[in-house]
C-alpha cells in the first residue's frame, strides 16, 4: 500500500529523517513546476537517495484524492512511501521512557523533588488532528520532552495521519510521542517519577501566579468536555491563562502553545 505525504514542511522533514536514518527504501518524490521550495526538497531527496520524477499537476491531483480534503493541497510535490514498515523513530514506549528518567527521591514532607528540567504534555480526548498537529509543533518549538496520547478517544496516529503531519509543519516526525492505553495510569507513573501535574482549565490559578516545578506535566482536555474527572483528580494544580477577550476560552492548541512557552521562558 502506498502512503502519500503532502505539504512542504511534512515532506521536507520526512526526507530529512530518511537521510538521518538511512531509510529511503520505498520512497519516491513526484513533482511539477518546481519553485525554490520544491527545488530545496529535491536537493535533500537526492542527498537521501530518494528518486524524484517530474510529472504534471493533474497526476498529483489524482494521487492526493484519497487524502483528507485539508491534505490535498500538494503545492506541486508529493512524497510516496510504499510498504512502510516498522515504527517511526520518535514513537516511544512510555514505560521505557519513564524507566529512563532519573530516579527521584522524596523529601521529608513527601514532596517530589526536582532533579532535571522536563516538560511533558498529555492530551485527553483531543480528537481534531489539526489541533494535535499544531500542539506537536509547539512542543517542538518550546522543547517539550514528550507528548502522551490515548489509544482511544483522541487523534493519535502521529506516524500515519497526514493532517497531523501537515498541521505540525513536519514536527510530528521528530517530537517524542507515546500512545498509552490508560492516561490516568500514565499520569500516576509520571507523578511517581517526580513530576508535578498541572491541569489546564479556565477556572484555575493564573499561569503567572504558579511556580511550575522543573519536572512538569501539562494536561490538556478536549474543547467540549475538558479534562476527564479521573484524570483531573490526578492533577496537583489547575492552571489557566489570563485573557481579556469576549469569548470564554482559547482553542486547545493555542492554549497549549501559551503554556509551553511559559514553561520554556522560565527555563532560560
Amino acid at each position: 500500500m502506498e502512503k502519500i505525504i503532502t505539504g512542504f514542511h511534512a515532506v521536507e522533514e520526512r526526507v530529512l529523517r530518511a537521510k538521518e536514518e538511512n531509510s529511503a527504501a520505498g520512497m519516491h518524490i513526484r513533482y511539477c513546476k518546481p519553485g525554490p521550495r520544491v527545488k530545496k526538497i529535491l536537493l535533500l531527496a537526492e542527498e537521501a537517495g530518494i528518486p524524484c520524477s517530474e510529472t504534471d499537476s493533474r497526476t498529483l491531483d489524482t494521487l492526493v484524492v484519497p487524502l483528507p480534503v485539508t491534505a490535498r493541497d500538494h503545492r506541486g510535490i508529493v512524497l510516496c512511501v510504499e510498504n512502510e514498515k516498522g515504527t517511526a523513530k520518535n514513537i516511544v514506549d512510555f514505560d521505557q521512557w519513564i524507566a529512563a528518567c532519573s530516579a527521584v527521591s522524596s523529601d521529608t514532607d513527601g514532596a517530589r523533588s526536582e532533579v532535571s528540567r522536563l516538560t511533558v504534555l498529555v492530551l485527553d480526548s483531543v480528537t481534531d488532528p489539526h489541533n494535535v498537529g499544531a500542539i506537536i509543533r509547539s512542543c517542538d518549538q518550546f522543547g517539550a520532552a514528550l507528548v502522551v496520547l490515548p489509544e482511544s478517544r483522541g487523534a493519535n496516529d502521529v506516524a500515519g495521519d497526514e493532517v497531523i503531519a501537515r498541521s505540525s509543519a513536519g514536527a510530528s516526525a521528530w517530537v517524542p510521542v507515546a500512545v498509552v492505553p490508560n492516561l490516568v495510569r500514565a499520569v500516576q507513573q509520571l507523578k511517581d517519577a517526580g513530576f508535578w501535574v498541572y491541569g489546564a482549565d479556565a477556572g484555575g490559578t493564573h499561569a503567572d501566579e504558579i511556580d511550575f516545578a522543573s519536572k512538569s506535566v501539562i494536561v490538556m482536555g478536549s474543547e467540549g468536555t475538558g479534562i476527564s474527572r479521573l484524570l483531573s483528580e490526578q492533577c496537583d494544580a489547575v492552571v489557566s491563562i489570563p485573557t481579556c477577550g469576549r469569548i470564554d476560552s482559547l482553542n486547545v492548541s493555542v492554549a497549549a502553545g501559551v503554556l509551553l512557552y511559559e514553561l520554556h521562558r522560565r527555563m532560560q
Side-chain angles (χ1 to χ4, degrees):
M1 183 178 179
E2 189 175 58
K3 176 180 177 181
I4 303 297
I5 298 172
T6 63
F8 288 150
H9 286 293
V11 171
E12 183 174 340
E13 292 302 327
R14 190 59 184 274
V15 169
L16 286 170
R17 196 177 81 193
K19 179 182 177 182
E20 182 180 278
E21 300 175 2
N22 192 27
S23 58
M27 292 186 176
H28 189 130
I29 283 181
R30 292 181 171 85
Y31 67 95
C32 69
K33 298 179 181 179
R37 190 65 185 276
V38 171
K39 288 179 180 178
K40 178 186 176 183
I41 296 173
L42 295 178
L43 214 64
L44 291 171
E46 182 181 353
E47 295 172 358
I50 299 173
C52 305
S53 58
E54 188 168 6
T55 184
D56 54 55
S57 183
R58 182 173 296 180
T59 299
L60 298 186
D61 291 343
T62 301
L63 284 172
V64 301
V65 166
L67 301 181
V69 173
T70 53
R72 293 177 191 168
D73 182 14
H74 52 72
R75 308 287 295 281
I77 186 169
V78 302
L79 173 61
C80 307
V81 185
E82 294 182 358
N83 303 318
E84 187 170 35
K85 297 179 181 180
T87 302
K89 187 177 180 180
N90 63 310
I91 306 300
V92 302
D93 180 275
F94 181 76
D95 292 329
Q96 290 180 359
W97 191 91
I98 284 288
C101 288
S102 301
V104 180
S105 59
S106 295
D107 60 25
T108 54
D109 295 325
R112 293 181 292 280
S113 61
E114 300 173 2
V115 175
S116 59
R117 291 198 171 274
L118 293 171
T119 300
V120 173
L121 197 73
V122 174
L123 302 186
D124 179 22
S125 301
V126 179
T127 58
D128 187 338
H130 295 91
N131 283 332
V132 173
I135 289 168
I136 290 174
R137 183 175 186 175
S138 293
C139 287
D140 172 67
Q141 291 296 296
F142 300 125
L146 182 69
V147 177
V148 182
L149 303 174
E151 282 186 358
S152 58
R153 303 186 316 280
N156 59 23
D157 187 9
V158 174
D161 192 310
E162 297 313 313
V163 176
I164 291 178
R166 196 179 181 93
S167 300
S168 75
S172 61
W174 301 105
V175 175
V177 173
V179 180
V180 301
N182 190 314
L183 284 181
V184 174
R185 177 180 177 275
V187 167
Q188 183 59 60
Q189 287 178 269
L190 287 162
K191 293 176 74 170
D192 292 343
F195 286 82
W196 286 79
V197 182
Y198 305 90
D201 187 88
T205 303
H206 287 183
D208 53 6
E209 298 174 5
I210 290 182
D211 184 16
F212 289 99
S214 55
K215 297 178 74 172
S216 293
V217 176
I218 301 295
V219 181
M220 307 297 302
S222 72
E223 292 190 63
T225 58
I227 302 170
S228 66
R229 180 183 61 81
L230 291 177
L231 194 54
S232 65
E233 290 174 357
Q234 294 291 324
C235 296
D236 297 304
V238 178
V239 58
S240 68
I241 300 168
T243 58
C244 60
R246 291 181 175 82
I247 58 175
D248 60 356
S249 66
L250 294 168
N251 169 277
V252 64
S253 64
V254 174
V258 171
L259 292 173
L260 286 167
Y261 170 74
E262 181 67 17
L263 268 71
H264 174 73
R265 180 184 67 80
R266 297 190 190 193
M267 292 179 183
Q268 303 308 301

